[in-house]
Amino acid sequence: MRILEGTEPVPVFRFFEEICRIPHGSGNEAMLSDYLKEFAMQRGLHCIQDEWKNIIIVKEAAPGCEEEETMILQGHMDMVAVKEPDCDIDLTKDPLRLQVNGDLISAEGTSLGGDDGIAVACILALLDAKDIPHPRLEAVITTGEEVGMDGAVGIDLSMLKGRRMLNLDNEEEGVLLTGCAGGMRADCKLPVTWEKRSGSVLEVCVTGLQGGHSGAEIIKEGGNANCLMGRVLDALAEKTDASLISLEGGLADNAIPRQTDARIIISGEDRMKGLAIIEEMEAAFRQELAVKDPDVKIVVKEEGEQTADSLRKESMGRAVSYLMAMPNGIQAMSADVEGLVETSLNLGVMRLSREHLQLTYAVRSSLESGKKAVRRKLQAVSGLAGAKMEIRGEYPGWAYRQDSPLRDKMIRVYERMYGEKPRVEAIHAGLECGLFSAKLPELDCVSYGPDMKGIHTTEEVLSISSVKRVWEYLLEVLKP
């Protein structure tokens, strides 16, 4: 049974539902990449699938459009695959369970992957159509965008003829994006040592936070579960002999973590004091986040007396101090664009293993100097703590282009269709446009897309009516 059957625009939602049946979380895109390759082969379209599983598909111009300038259509095939703790779906193997509530599409218990599955669906619908006027189309669908833009870094674009590109990775209709921040991933690893001890074991969970995309939502300055857990552990370490047995928080470096779980062991004489400290911290968080994250809470479950491996006292102290010293959140606001975050970082993933405490950050800045400053700060704090830092997935920002015929045309078409100007903006989130611009000199690029909310979370929703309007708008933009 197709949940979206008959939903307009039918070609787009037919492909979107097919995409949702194929697991395609970051790092698990092979099946979707093969599907895209088979799609092209069945239609006799030229297709390249590279070692990163990126896909390039070429469709020649429709009759009467042969003299028009080639258009590159670009999106990414991977999604941030997250689910609710009690969801039984295996996101590496199972299809998503789509739901429709009025105008909104979501997925039961998981993220939807509208970012960027709806872009891929629109591209496939254009490539499949036989009655749509269009210039030569060069579709570029990349992998690993959500974990460092790995596919865009590795892809060879030398065969492309186009020098204008429509990126379909925006989540707000009516906004033409013409610039974005650059970024990188930072993995910080602090060595730890262990000892066996006996005491009362507590399971502590910081939860109830809204989370969200670390580029789009960080300006709201909501709670970061990893950072809040760091404060809980610091308060416990300051006044009790509590130590960590396990620690795990966050699902992706570019998603603000909503929940962090820890198991701690504490002596019998400090048990009641520890519980009281946790209550005090919950009250403090509720007061601090009353407006920004009102549902924050700390859930404690007592597991009784046990003997377990836990961090040595010195290692626990160093881990907690490291957590407290490391920066997080907005570092600078833009002086040029009101309301635009200039530089930020997000502690998206935190894991304690036998070897080390690992903190994984998504760093973003519209200035290279700002990105460098954050890198040096992380290196400095890590060095003082005895931790090592590795940088991966670094990508450039996308600078605003003064002369943009594509942007000018899209503004004209929008005004004609809707009687008002679209907003022309830059964003703090990262897009692949910067990497493409570096590979294709003189690239004229604009990013556009339909309304989505809650991307990278299980509350992600996609507007049906917005997809319809965006589809109709794209068809007009492609006309001669």
Side-chain angles (χ1 to χ4, degrees), residues 275-288:
L275 291 171
I277 289 170
I278 293 171
E279 283 188 14
E280 291 170 6
M281 295 304 297
E282 182 182 54
F285 296 161
R286 283 187 173 276
Q287 183 180 33
E288 294 171 19

Side-chain angles (χ1 to χ4, degrees), residues 51-350:
E51 61 185 295
W52 289 275
K53 295 294 184 178
N54 296 309
I55 292 287
I56 298 175
I57 303 173
V58 178
K59 183 181 183 183
E60 296 300 333
C65 301
E66 293 87 352
E67 300 303 315
E68 290 295 305
E69 185 181 351
T70 297
M71 178 72 82
I72 302 170
L73 301 171
Q74 197 266 318
H76 61 89
M77 69 182 80
D78 64 314
M79 65 176 281
V80 174
V82 295
K83 65 177 184 176
E84 297 286 358
D86 59 349
C87 178
D88 63 352
I89 291 177
D90 183 342
L91 286 166
T92 67
K93 298 187 294 187
D94 299 334
L96 302 179
R97 298 171 186 162
L98 298 184
Q99 304 176 127
V100 178
N101 183 11
D103 185 50
L104 300 178
I105 302 171
S106 61
E108 180 187 337
T110 69
S111 49
L112 174 65
D115 172 21
D116 200 23
I118 196 62
V120 179
C122 286
I123 291 171
L124 294 184
L126 286 167
L127 295 174
D128 188 55
K130 296 179 174 59
D131 57 353
I132 294 176
H134 62 78
R136 172 184 162 102
L137 300 177
E138 296 176 336
V140 183
I141 305 172
T142 53
T143 57
E145 192 272 350
E146 301 290 6
V147 290
M149 304 194 185
D150 299 342
V153 170
I155 196 169
D156 180 1
L157 302 177
S158 60
M159 59 78 62
L160 297 186
K161 296 181 179 179
R163 288 300 181 269
R164 60 174 184 163
M165 184 175 90
L166 187 51
N167 167 277
L168 299 172
D169 192 13
N170 185 16
E171 293 87 39
E172 187 175 4
E173 184 189 352
V175 177
L176 304 183
L177 294 182
T178 56
C180 73
M184 62 186 178
R185 267 61 176 179
D187 295 313
C188 306
K189 299 178 181 180
L190 178 73
V192 294
T193 56
W194 298 81
E195 65 180 0
K196 195 172 289 293
R197 60 175 288 192
S198 299
S200 295
V201 175
L202 304 177
E203 184 180 299
V204 182
C205 176
V206 175
T207 188
L209 298 162
Q210 296 180 38
H213 187 289
S214 67
E217 306 294 333
I218 206 158
I219 193 169
K220 296 178 180 178
E221 298 187 285
N224 178 309
N226 288 337
C227 296
L228 296 180
M229 179 63 83
R231 291 174 58 186
V232 173
L233 297 174
D234 177 63
L236 288 169
E238 182 184 13
K239 296 180 181 178
T240 74
D241 65 355
S243 186
L244 276 168
I245 298 172
S246 65
L247 179 65
E248 183 173 354
L251 298 167
D253 50 52
N254 58 357
I256 301 169
R258 305 170 64 195
Q259 180 171 313
T260 303
D261 299 285
R263 292 179 71 234
I264 64 170
I265 191 164
I266 191 169
S267 64
E269 54 266 31
D270 277 349
R271 173 179 154 274
M272 292 305 296
K273 186 190 295 186
L275 291 171
I277 289 170
I278 293 171
E279 283 188 14
E280 291 170 6
M281 295 304 297
E282 182 182 54
F285 296 161
R286 283 187 173 276
Q287 183 180 33
E288 294 171 19
L289 299 170
V291 175
K292 299 172 181 176
D293 246 322
D295 296 327
V296 62
K297 60 184 176 180
I298 304 176
V299 179
V300 180
K301 179 182 177 182
E302 297 197 60
E303 297 184 0
E305 293 289 318
Q306 296 183 30
T307 298
D309 286 339
S310 65
L311 294 186
R312 291 180 182 273
K313 182 177 181 180
E314 180 275 335
S315 193
M316 177 68 177
R318 199 149 53 96
V320 168
S321 295
Y322 187 46
L323 272 173
M324 293 298 291
M326 290 289 269
N328 184 77
I330 296 172
Q331 304 296 295
M333 296 294 293
S334 172
D336 300 318
V337 182
E338 184 177 354
L340 178 67
V341 177
E342 182 178 272
T343 304
S344 77
L345 72 166
N346 173 62
L347 175 51
V349 180
M350 180 164 66

